[in-house]
Amino acid sequence: MKTLLLGFGLLTLLNCNASKSNTGDSKNHDSQLIGKWSMAFDNASITRSRTITRAADGKFVADNATKIQGRAQRYQTSGTWWTENGFYYEANIQSGDTIKYKYKVDNVAKLSFEKEPSAEEDYKYFEVRQ
């Protein structure tokens, strides 16, 4: 669970462990991911949530909220997204970094994302359609 919390924190706060990537008009956009999605989790000391809207043109806007030991932070990220060979990519305009996750459409209302295991973390999360 600590790995999950750490991974999500890194994803939403810092976009750490990301690789640089160029995005262009020729990128694939799995139509099943288009729309408004959300994810959230809560434990004794940390609450995290994110609502992301993915457009058909490959742009996204995400509203993020984190509450750690009573301190709340809200912020917005934006950029481009695409899919390729079973992987989901999200290029953040603010940081200039790109995250990469293996993704799966569980059903029309649920997506699964999994970061490839590494020495630093093994991270999975789910999004549900709003």
Side-chain angles (χ1 to χ4, degrees):
M1 184 61 150
K2 288 182 182 178
T3 302
L4 174 66
L5 295 174
L6 177 61
F8 184 73
L10 293 174
L11 167 69
T12 59
L13 294 176
L14 303 174
N15 281 324
C16 287
N17 298 321
S19 61
K20 302 289 182 188
S21 178
N22 293 326
T23 59
D25 296 333
S26 64
K27 300 289 185 188
N28 295 319
H29 304 100
D30 185 336
S31 63
Q32 298 175 96
L33 278 66
I34 296 169
K36 191 172 187 177
W37 298 84
S38 65
M39 62 89 64
F41 68 87
D42 191 5
N43 75 12
S45 62
I46 300 173
T47 301
R48 300 212 195 287
S49 64
R50 170 171 128 142
T51 301
I52 184 168
T53 303
R54 294 183 189 93
D57 66 359
K59 294 179 182 172
F60 79 87
V61 175
D63 294 310
N64 305 280
T66 304
K67 187 175 182 180
I68 301 173
Q69 298 176 341
R71 291 184 168 168
Q73 178 183 15
R74 292 186 174 276
Y75 57 97
Q76 190 175 77
T77 55
S78 60
T80 57
W81 70 275
W82 67 96
T83 56
E84 182 178 306
N85 299 323
F87 286 94
Y88 169 79
Y89 298 84
E90 193 175 283
N92 183 308
I93 289 174
Q94 289 77 18
S95 69
D97 293 332
T98 299
I99 57 170
K100 175 185 175 183
Y101 285 90
K102 182 184 275 187
Y103 81 99
K104 180 175 92 172
V105 179
D106 294 331
N107 60 52
V108 295
K110 185 177 177 186
L111 303 173
S112 299
F113 294 89
E114 180 176 355
K115 191 168 203 161
E116 292 184 313
S118 69
E120 297 175 12
E121 65 181 333
D122 179 13
Y123 177 68
K124 299 176 185 179
Y125 73 96
F126 303 93
E127 289 182 356
V128 292
R129 188 178 295 279
Q130 288 197 332

